[in-house]
Amino acid sequence: MISCKAKNKTDNAGLQAANSAKTQSTVSQTAPRDLSKIDLDLTQMSATMIYSTMFDMLVMAEDYIEKNIKVSGWFETYTDPQTGELYYAVVVPDATACCQQGMEFVWQGNHNYPDDYPQPGQDITVTGIYKMIENNGITYTYLEASKVEF
């Protein structure tokens, strides 16, 4: 899980990693992809940089689309009260642990909840391709998870 112990760090390695990921060329959706190559590893950033980068991923989503991203936090679910659809997320706190951001993920393969997933609140690391879809005029982003560790 992401630790707030890193909040006293003043290095900007996380910012450099985020900027590097944003400037790399995106891979065509039809081209084979090396999923072992991580474009943006949020697990190596301070809590402040992770939170800031996740916010940037929401605001400037186009800069991150088709990037292979790794993030750690805790596992949570959300059930849409209107549709009953279940969503899965990795939740990350800011440095003071007063605020949180969640990133939805869709785990590729044949995985059933709750049998194949961690318990809500359990530490989790998710690696996957950042995707954007539009549904009824609303744009959504999520990680298409190739690897989920808990």
Side-chain angles (χ1 to χ4, degrees):
M1 184 167 140
I2 297 167
S3 169
C4 291
K5 291 190 291 188
K7 68 182 177 184
N8 293 326
K9 289 187 177 182
T10 56
D11 67 62
N12 66 352
L15 181 61
Q16 293 167 351
N19 284 334
S20 174
K22 288 168 73 170
T23 59
Q24 295 172 3
S25 63
T26 57
V27 174
S28 165
Q29 293 200 9
T30 58
R33 175 141 190 137
D34 178 8
L35 294 177
S36 66
K37 180 184 175 288
I38 305 295
D39 297 312
L40 180 58
D41 189 347
L42 279 70
T43 67
Q44 299 301 307
M45 297 180 185
S46 71
T48 301
M49 282 308 307
I50 295 165
Y51 193 81
S52 298
T53 301
M54 286 181 68
F55 181 79
D56 191 52
M57 290 170 71
L58 293 172
V59 175
M60 304 296 291
E62 297 83 8
D63 292 340
Y64 297 93
I65 300 305
E66 296 300 317
K67 304 291 184 188
N68 197 19
I69 297 171
K70 183 176 182 180
V71 60
S72 291
W74 68 81
F75 176 72
E76 290 296 339
T77 64
Y78 170 75
T79 303
D80 185 322
Q82 295 178 349
T83 66
E85 189 169 351
L86 186 61
Y87 296 92
Y88 311 103
V90 55
V91 178
V92 179
D94 70 348
T96 61
C98 72
C99 305
Q100 301 125 20
Q101 287 189 37
M103 183 181 299
E104 180 187 358
F105 68 91
V106 176
W107 195 1
Q108 299 302 294
N110 187 22
H111 306 283
N112 297 308
Y113 184 80
D115 298 337
D116 300 326
Y117 287 79
Q119 295 293 316
Q122 187 174 345
D123 295 352
I124 187 172
T125 300
V126 179
T127 305
I129 305 298
Y130 197 64
K131 299 283 187 173
M132 180 187 299
I133 59 170
E134 188 173 317
N135 188 4
N136 295 327
I138 300 173
T139 303
Y140 297 92
T141 58
Y142 66 97
L143 273 184
E144 185 177 89
S146 57
K147 188 175 188 182
V148 177
E149 303 169 272
F150 53 96

